[in-house]
Amino acid sequence: MRADAVSRAVLEQLRELHCLEPEQTVCCALSGGADSVCLLRCLLELRPVLGITITAVHVNHHLRGAESERDRTFCQQLCAGLGVRLAVYDVNPAARAAQEHCSEELAARECRYAAFAQVQADWIATAHTASDNLETAVHRLVRGASLHGLTAIPPKNGRFLRPLLRVTRRQVEQYLESLGQTYVTDSTNLTDAYTRNRIRHQVIPALEQLNPSVERTVSYTLRSLRREDDFLHQQAQAAYAKCHTGKNTLSGLETLHEALQFRCIAMLLEEAGISCEAPLLERLAALARQGGRWNLSGAVYAVGKSGTLTIETVQLPEPLPEAIPLQMGENRLFSGFVLHARLETVSPAENVANIHKKFANACLDYDKIKGEIFLRPRQSGDRMQLSGRGFTSALKKLIQANLPPERRRTAHVLADADGVIFAEGVGCAARVCPDGETRRLLVLEILGKC
Amino acid sequence: MRADAVSRAVLEQLRELHCLEPEQTVCCALSGGADSVCLLRCLLELRPVLGITITAVHVNHHLRGAESERDRTFCQQLCAGLGVRLAVYDVNPAARAAQEHCSEELAARECRYAAFAQVQADWIATAHTASDNLETAVHRLVRGASLHGLTAIPPKNGRFLRPLLRVTRRQVEQYLESLGQTYVTDSTNLTDAYTRNRIRHQVIPALEQLNPSVERTVSYTLRSLRREDDFLHQQAQAAYAKCHTGKNTLSGLETLHEALQFRCIAMLLEEAGISCEAPLLERLAALARQGGRWNLSGAVYAVGKSGTLTIETVQLPEPLPEAIPLQMGENRLFSGFVLHARLETVSPAENVANIHKKFANACLDYDKIKGEIFLRPRQSGDRMQLSGRGFTSALKKLIQANLPPERRRTAHVLADADGVIFAEGVGCAARVCPDGETRRLLVLEILGKC
């Protein structure tokens, strides 16, 4: 009775996808574990009803030594016994992980899907269950997700089908038991070991105590979310087509429902290759409404104004040069400006306040400067003490606090033998500030682009 | 710094709701617990910015003896100290629970909201936090929920506001600590004790190990779901207005996106007062597509045909009569039909197969019947053994298997001194079946409505 429920659920799932046609070939991705063995047996059971051809593919990851060989042999014997044609692919995720500097899990997944890509079949069926789906949904919820993310594992994605999505892990085991069908058990858990296992062993059991059929219950919820997400996606695409009035620009956002505004902004960010998180979306939606600028990363800004949102990239500066000695007169700055340096003599009667009024730009006490003055970019370890403060600060922090992101990398610094005496946007170090004793002023002016 | 984050989050939440206007009165629902004390202090902190008047209301449930009095006194002293006008309402949920045969939790909630209804204020602020919101979302997910259900606690609902929805329980405690503000602790947990506590003490800590800021993360997700649910609701309302072509009827469902079909069907069920669960929705959507009938409850059916779905109520039958002796000739049935009973003599040459061919209706061996024959409704405890089976079955089950729901209650039964010999829709008992020895047949025919 229970076993029957499994093939019925698989049949229902396949029928609702409206994609399988008679005489097509479905290739079952077979690891040898309970889920994939159940899927294979179930597809074979349904073969007469669906009129399809079943094949199988086993990917040997060679990550678990003798156990990997055991799994391959098991799959070969199982398929031989069932009269199913099996393709075996050998992959090397360990090498790929080393080469691409990624985790073995990720490399294994990539290798597996690369192998699947070579399979000659109309469809490839993978054995994701309702239990996997619940775990994925909880995982996404915990990390923060959009409606789309919460819909978890899609029953159909390209030519991949997941016919077991309405079947729980327990049902899988009952089905195999009713058939007297054995399977292998993976001694490790390749995917997302830590998080996935925590969810499986701690969160899900707690949820099952609240509702023993939580997997089935949630699978209904996920189906409903998938339908609604699909509708929203259609609506958002139509809205995007209207609002996307130029490269990196959305106009007329204020005429859309907020839900569509957010989806359109997410699509704009995706197009620009910017990762799109919930707090950022909220900020950009507010930006489009209220106007303003927001730095997205490096030289990239979002600019909002009365329902229009644009992603702008500020011109990137030239490569940074080495330090050059400051010369009186014009110094070409690598950000395309010109720094004009000159010496002024101050009469003893003038006080500091007046000096600052007179020279709107930076003024340093020339006689307090030690040795030669260099013009250079900020270096790591630069510190300076500002006037009126009893401590030195990391220059990096001062620049972050005073300069917009796109100018931080190319911020100019003047340094003498003892270190930084002046930094663009920040001002001059306390030790070279003019005072009542100052006689010679080094006046710095930044002139427009050269 | 942390404390500041709390009032900033409250201000943001209130501003985004666009509902508070200067000089309005906000009444803070004050239990004396950490959350509500935080809310009151925070609203007072923001009073100058918002230009509002703050009052408070305390509802004394009298469910925890001296502790209830302690809480009331605490609230009175707190408000007196802060210069806030406090209204105290005494309610009696214990009596209400007894009177309405419901749980004390539910009665307490009803009493509380009845008290709130008497409050003279533009808005009533309750202290639901991001932590409550996460717990509610998990609770709904586990029980099975629509997108709307998953959005959990709304930040605004009628004149109720939840300004703390972006603040976590931990932030509440830090805020109060930074103010040196005390609060009372409830020794019981009135709401959903079992489920809520399990979620709070087992599920949430496990989620927090995966993501320490899961409450804040999920609060972004819930906000996003709320926006999308709101859009879908608007679209579904517009679709419903078009499709709702008559009382209890939706037409043209096939022209709608599936997401809207489901929402419209849910609205139809709600209008008909039928509780609407995910499996039922899936079934009714399929019914509208493929055609067919589905019993919703008792005499209520859903009927689908080429994109039209109707909820129909079948005419309820007359009250059931007592048993009446069967008479040869016409017997008026309480379901409005007529049962015609007659005796036939069978020649010894005729075999059973022929008997059944000859009399299309039910035929019983009259000589096997014990004592007087009564016509009556099914009674609890009725059993019968059908021909060809070695066991008796509950008549109730046989009727359920053979009759449509609206006819089950009024199914007719013939009984002799030893019990049921014939049941409508089911057939005759094995012990009165005609056989090769049969000489007198009792032939039963049901004639059209009288």
Side-chain angles (χ1 to χ4, degrees):
Chain A
M1 198 58 183
R2 285 284 190 158
D4 189 46
V6 168
S7 47
R8 223 172 33 234
V10 167
L11 185 62
E12 247 176 39
Q13 175 67 80
L14 288 174
R15 288 218 162 123
E16 267 185 35
L17 291 175
H18 296 294
C19 63
L20 268 193
E21 279 167 40
E23 299 185 26
Q24 285 191 323
T25 301
V26 177
C27 177
C28 177
L30 188 67
S31 70
D35 296 344
S36 67
V37 172
C38 168
L39 176 60
L40 179 62
R41 294 291 312 248
C42 205
L43 287 173
L44 289 173
E45 187 186 330
L46 294 173
R47 184 166 50 180
V49 185
L50 297 167
I52 51 175
T53 301
I54 314 286
T55 63
V57 56
H58 176 74
V59 180
N60 189 344
H61 295 89
H62 294 283
L63 284 174
R64 288 170 293 127
E67 201 176 289
S68 291
E69 299 315 308
R70 176 204 67 179
D71 294 355
R72 179 181 47 76
T73 309
F74 175 84
C75 291
Q76 285 171 329
Q77 289 172 347
L78 177 68
C79 288
L82 295 168
V84 170
R85 188 159 55 79
L86 174 74
V88 175
Y89 290 93
D90 290 283
V91 295
N92 191 348
R96 188 180 186 124
Q99 195 186 328
E100 296 189 2
H101 306 289
C102 68
S103 71
E104 260 183 15
E105 295 108 82
L106 185 62
R109 194 189 135 81
E110 283 176 1
C111 288
R112 199 160 54 243
Y113 277 81
F116 291 159
Q118 300 172 50
V119 167
Q120 298 285 326
D122 298 297
W123 304 99
I124 297 171
T126 65
H128 295 89
T129 62
S131 310
D132 295 317
N133 214 5
L134 173 58
E135 287 164 16
T136 303
V138 168
H139 192 182
R140 303 250 177 107
L141 180 71
V142 169
R143 290 187 314 185
S146 63
L147 175 58
H148 183 71
L150 285 183
T151 61
I153 305 168
K156 175 176 175 300
N157 192 8
R159 64 168 183 159
F160 287 94
L161 301 178
R162 277 83 185 222
L164 283 189
L165 269 192
R166 297 182 182 189
V167 175
T168 65
R169 195 163 291 136
R170 204 163 292 138
Q171 285 180 304
V172 162
E173 283 160 14
Q174 283 164 344
Y175 177 80
L176 292 174
E177 203 186 319
S178 76
L179 296 180
Q181 172 67 58
T182 57
Y183 51 91
V184 295
T185 305
D186 188 340
S187 68
T188 66
N189 195 335
L190 277 178
T191 51
D192 307 314
Y194 175 79
T195 307
R196 179 67 78 173
N197 280 335
R198 250 214 142 81
I199 291 175
R200 184 172 297 176
H201 300 303
Q202 292 182 15
V203 181
I204 307 293
L207 299 182
E208 276 177 336
Q209 287 205 293
L210 299 171
N211 174 5
S213 31
V214 64
E215 290 158 327
R216 287 169 52 75
T217 302
V218 170
S219 90
Y220 276 107
T221 297
L222 299 186
R223 257 139 60 199
S224 156
L225 297 187
R226 183 170 301 283
R227 280 189 298 272
E228 306 215 313
D229 175 57
D230 182 73
F231 174 71
L232 281 155
H233 183 65
Q234 281 186 13
Q235 299 289 308
Q237 277 190 314
Y240 191 72
K242 270 196 202 166
C243 288
H244 192 227
T245 51
K247 188 165 157 34
N248 295 332
T249 300
L250 294 176
S251 302
L253 282 172
E254 77 285 5
T255 63
L256 300 179
H257 186 282
E258 257 202 325
L260 297 184
Q261 287 179 25
F262 275 70
R263 288 214 171 215
C264 285
I265 294 171
M267 288 158 95
L268 186 74
L269 290 178
E270 198 192 346
E271 206 185 73
I274 295 162
S275 90
C276 142
E277 314 236 298
L280 178 62
L281 278 182
E282 290 197 3
R283 191 172 289 279
L284 296 191
L287 206 66
R289 208 165 44 237
Q290 298 154 3
R293 281 166 70 82
W294 182 258
N295 181 246
L296 292 167
S297 73
V300 185
Y301 282 79
V303 182
K305 196 178 172 188
S306 39
T308 294
L309 189 73
T310 307
I311 295 181
E312 291 180 0
T313 303
V314 175
Q315 183 99 42
L316 279 173
E318 301 165 35
L320 299 183
E322 299 298 301
I324 49 167
L326 181 77
Q327 56 190 13
M328 293 302 144
E330 293 193 350
N331 295 269
R332 197 167 169 278
L333 298 187
F334 41 83
S335 53
F337 288 83
V338 165
L339 173 71
H340 191 269
R342 67 180 191 276
L343 280 180
E344 300 260 351
T345 312
V346 187
S347 81
E350 287 188 291
N351 69 18
V352 184
N354 286 344
I355 289 172
H356 282 288
K357 270 188 196 153
K358 194 167 171 186
F359 304 107
N361 294 294
C363 299
L364 282 62
D365 186 327
Y366 188 68
D367 295 310
K368 293 181 181 157
I369 296 173
K370 310 276 173 62
E372 198 175 359
I373 307 172
F374 281 93
L375 184 62
R376 61 163 172 83
R378 181 185 72 77
Q379 288 169 0
S380 100
D382 277 346
R383 300 186 71 83
M384 68 192 285
Q385 178 176 342
L386 293 179
S387 176
R389 299 197 194 168
F391 50 88
T392 68
S393 305
L395 183 57
K396 188 176 181 183
K397 286 205 170 174
L398 294 173
I399 284 178
Q400 272 174 355
N402 288 286
L403 280 180
E406 78 278 9
R407 285 182 55 207
R408 288 175 196 162
R409 203 174 65 95
T410 58
H412 289 86
V413 160
L414 289 187
D416 68 1
D418 284 358
V420 179
I421 53 171
F422 170 82
E424 191 181 343
V426 177
C428 58
R431 66 178 169 90
V432 294
C433 268
D435 57 24
E437 309 295 312
T438 301
R439 291 298 162 261
R440 289 196 293 175
L441 274 184
L442 172 61
V443 181
L444 305 170
E445 273 180 292
I446 294 183
L447 309 173
K449 290 228 175 202
C450 57
Chain B
M1 198 60 181
R2 285 282 191 158
D4 190 43
V6 168
S7 47
R8 221 171 37 232
V10 168
L11 186 60
E12 249 176 38
Q13 176 66 81
L14 288 174
R15 286 216 163 125
E16 268 185 34
L17 290 175
H18 295 295
C19 64
L20 268 192
E21 280 167 40
E23 300 186 24
Q24 285 190 323
T25 301
V26 177
C27 175
C28 176
L30 187 67
S31 69
D35 296 345
S36 67
V37 171
C38 168
L39 176 60
L40 178 62
R41 293 292 310 249
C42 204
L43 287 174
L44 289 172
E45 188 185 330
L46 295 172
R47 185 165 50 181
V49 185
L50 297 167
I52 52 175
T53 302
I54 314 286
T55 64
V57 56
H58 175 74
V59 179
N60 189 344
H61 295 89
H62 294 283
L63 285 175
R64 289 170 292 127
E67 202 176 289
S68 293
E69 299 315 307
R70 176 205 67 181
D71 294 356
R72 178 181 46 76
T73 309
F74 175 85
C75 292
Q76 286 171 329
Q77 288 171 349
L78 176 68
C79 289
L82 296 167
V84 170
R85 187 160 54 81
L86 173 74
V88 175
Y89 290 92
D90 290 282
V91 295
N92 191 346
R96 189 180 185 123
Q99 194 186 328
E100 295 189 2
H101 306 288
C102 67
S103 72
E104 259 184 15
E105 296 108 83
L106 184 64
R109 195 189 135 82
E110 283 176 1
C111 287
R112 198 158 58 243
Y113 277 81
F116 291 160
Q118 300 172 50
V119 167
Q120 297 285 325
D122 297 297
W123 304 100
I124 297 171
T126 65
H128 295 88
T129 62
S131 309
D132 295 317
N133 215 4
L134 173 58
E135 287 165 14
T136 302
V138 169
H139 192 182
R140 302 251 176 108
L141 180 70
V142 170
R143 288 187 316 183
S146 63
L147 175 59
H148 183 71
L150 285 182
T151 61
I153 305 167
K156 176 175 174 300
N157 191 8
R159 66 168 183 160
F160 287 94
L161 302 178
R162 277 85 185 222
L164 283 189
L165 269 192
R166 297 181 183 191
V167 175
T168 66
R169 195 162 293 136
R170 203 162 296 137
Q171 284 180 306
V172 161
E173 283 160 14
Q174 284 163 341
Y175 177 81
L176 292 173
E177 202 186 319
S178 76
L179 295 182
Q181 173 66 59
T182 57
Y183 51 89
V184 295
T185 305
D186 189 338
S187 68
T188 67
N189 196 336
L190 277 179
T191 53
D192 308 313
Y194 175 79
T195 306
R196 179 65 80 175
N197 280 335
R198 246 208 146 84
I199 292 175
R200 183 172 298 176
H201 300 303
Q202 293 183 15
V203 181
I204 307 294
L207 300 181
E208 275 177 338
Q209 287 204 293
L210 299 171
N211 175 4
S213 29
V214 65
E215 290 157 326
R216 286 169 52 79
T217 302
V218 171
S219 90
Y220 277 107
T221 297
L222 298 187
R223 253 134 68 195
S224 158
L225 297 187
R226 183 171 300 286
R227 280 190 298 273
E228 306 215 312
D229 175 58
D230 182 72
F231 174 70
L232 280 156
H233 183 65
Q234 282 185 14
Q235 299 289 309
Q237 277 189 314
Y240 191 72
K242 270 196 201 167
C243 288
H244 192 226
T245 51
K247 188 164 157 32
N248 296 332
T249 300
L250 295 177
S251 302
L253 282 172
E254 77 284 3
T255 62
L256 299 178
H257 186 283
E258 257 202 325
L260 297 184
Q261 287 178 24
F262 275 71
R263 287 212 174 216
C264 284
I265 294 172
M267 288 158 96
L268 186 73
L269 290 177
E270 198 191 347
E271 206 186 74
I274 296 164
S275 90
C276 142
E277 315 236 299
L280 179 62
L281 278 181
E282 291 197 1
R283 192 172 286 278
L284 296 190
L287 205 66
R289 208 164 46 237
Q290 299 154 3
R293 282 164 69 81
W294 182 258
N295 182 244
L296 292 166
S297 73
V300 185
Y301 281 79
V303 182
K305 196 178 170 187
S306 40
T308 295
L309 189 73
T310 308
I311 294 180
E312 291 179 359
T313 304
V314 174
Q315 182 100 40
L316 279 173
E318 304 164 33
L320 299 183
E322 300 298 303
I324 49 167
L326 181 77
Q327 56 191 13
M328 293 302 143
E330 293 193 349
N331 295 271
R332 197 166 170 280
L333 298 187
F334 41 83
S335 54
F337 289 83
V338 165
L339 174 71
H340 191 270
R342 67 181 191 277
L343 280 183
E344 300 258 352
T345 313
V346 187
S347 82
E350 284 188 294
N351 70 16
V352 183
N354 286 342
I355 288 172
H356 280 292
K357 269 189 198 155
K358 194 165 166 187
F359 305 106
N361 293 294
C363 299
L364 281 61
D365 185 329
Y366 189 67
D367 295 310
K368 290 181 183 158
I369 297 172
K370 310 275 172 67
E372 198 174 1
I373 309 171
F374 281 94
L375 184 62
R376 62 163 171 82
R378 183 183 71 77
Q379 289 169 0
S380 101
D382 279 343
R383 302 185 71 82
M384 67 193 286
Q385 178 177 341
L386 293 179
S387 178
R389 297 198 194 166
F391 52 88
T392 68
S393 306
L395 184 57
K396 187 176 182 183
K397 286 205 170 173
L398 295 173
I399 284 177
Q400 272 174 354
N402 288 285
L403 281 180
E406 78 278 14
R407 286 181 54 206
R408 287 175 197 161
R409 204 174 64 95
T410 57
H412 289 87
V413 161
L414 288 188
D416 69 359
D418 282 0
V420 179
I421 53 172
F422 171 84
E424 194 182 342
V426 176
C428 58
R431 68 178 167 88
V432 295
C433 270
D435 56 27
E437 308 296 309
T438 301
R439 292 299 163 260
R440 287 196 293 175
L441 275 182
L442 173 60
V443 182
L444 305 169
E445 273 180 292
I446 293 182
L447 310 174
K449 290 228 176 200
C450 55

